[in-house]
């Protein structure tokens, strides 16, 4: 149902997120160069399943598109979380409920 739609996010959001991450990494590198201390970038959010699903999608997409990771490598840190906090993306079409097409492999 369209009202239940929460993702995947559109390409504009993916583009903005990737640019935001690039800026964070550049700032991190500059701070490390000046201070000599290694700092981690931590991305955190609420326990909302839709937010967690979209965040994992965005981070994995960043790793694939900007860091040249394989989809399997990008998903590995998320795939080992048990129980999985992620929800499948709902079908937002106006069609009658149909059988789920199943999981599609990215690699």
């Amino acid at each position: 149902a369209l009202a239940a739609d929460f993702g995947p996010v559109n390409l504009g959001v993916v583009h903005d997120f990737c640019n935001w991450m690039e800026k964070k990494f550049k700032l991190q590198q500059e701070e490390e160069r000046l201070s000599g201390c290694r700092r981690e970038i931590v991305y955190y959010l609420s326990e909302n399943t839709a937010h967690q699903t979209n965040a994992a999608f965005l981070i994995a997409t960043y790793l694939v598109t900007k860091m040249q990771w394989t989809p399997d490598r990008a998903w590995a840190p998320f795939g080992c979380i048990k129980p999985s906090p992620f929800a499948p993306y709902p079908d937002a079409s106006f069609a009658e409920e149909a059988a789920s097409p199943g999981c599609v492999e990215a690699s």
Side-chain angles (χ1 to χ4, degrees):
L2 191 57
D5 187 22
F6 67 89
V9 297
N10 67 49
L11 287 176
V13 173
V14 171
H15 175 77
D16 290 346
F17 181 82
C18 288
N19 285 340
W20 179 78
M21 288 293 293
E22 290 285 301
K23 289 177 187 173
K24 290 292 180 187
F25 278 120
K26 286 179 183 172
L27 180 61
Q28 176 199 32
Q29 290 171 346
E30 183 64 18
E31 288 176 354
E32 285 178 7
R33 187 183 67 76
L34 294 173
S35 70
C37 297
R38 173 133 172 86
R39 297 181 62 188
E40 299 291 327
I41 294 176
V42 177
Y43 188 75
Y44 65 95
L45 49 127
S46 73
E47 291 185 16
N48 179 294
T49 301
H51 294 170
Q52 291 177 349
T53 302
N54 285 334
F57 170 80
L58 286 168
I59 293 167
T61 300
Y62 172 81
L63 293 170
V64 170
T65 60
K66 296 294 188 176
M67 305 297 283
Q68 306 302 306
W69 287 22
T70 65
D72 288 336
R73 182 178 176 201
W75 183 249
F78 303 108
C80 66
I81 300 172
K82 301 293 182 215
S84 175
F86 310 117
Y89 288 121
D91 180 1
S93 70
F94 292 106
E96 292 289 323
E97 282 290 320
S100 173
C103 183
V104 178
E105 300 248 346
S107 56

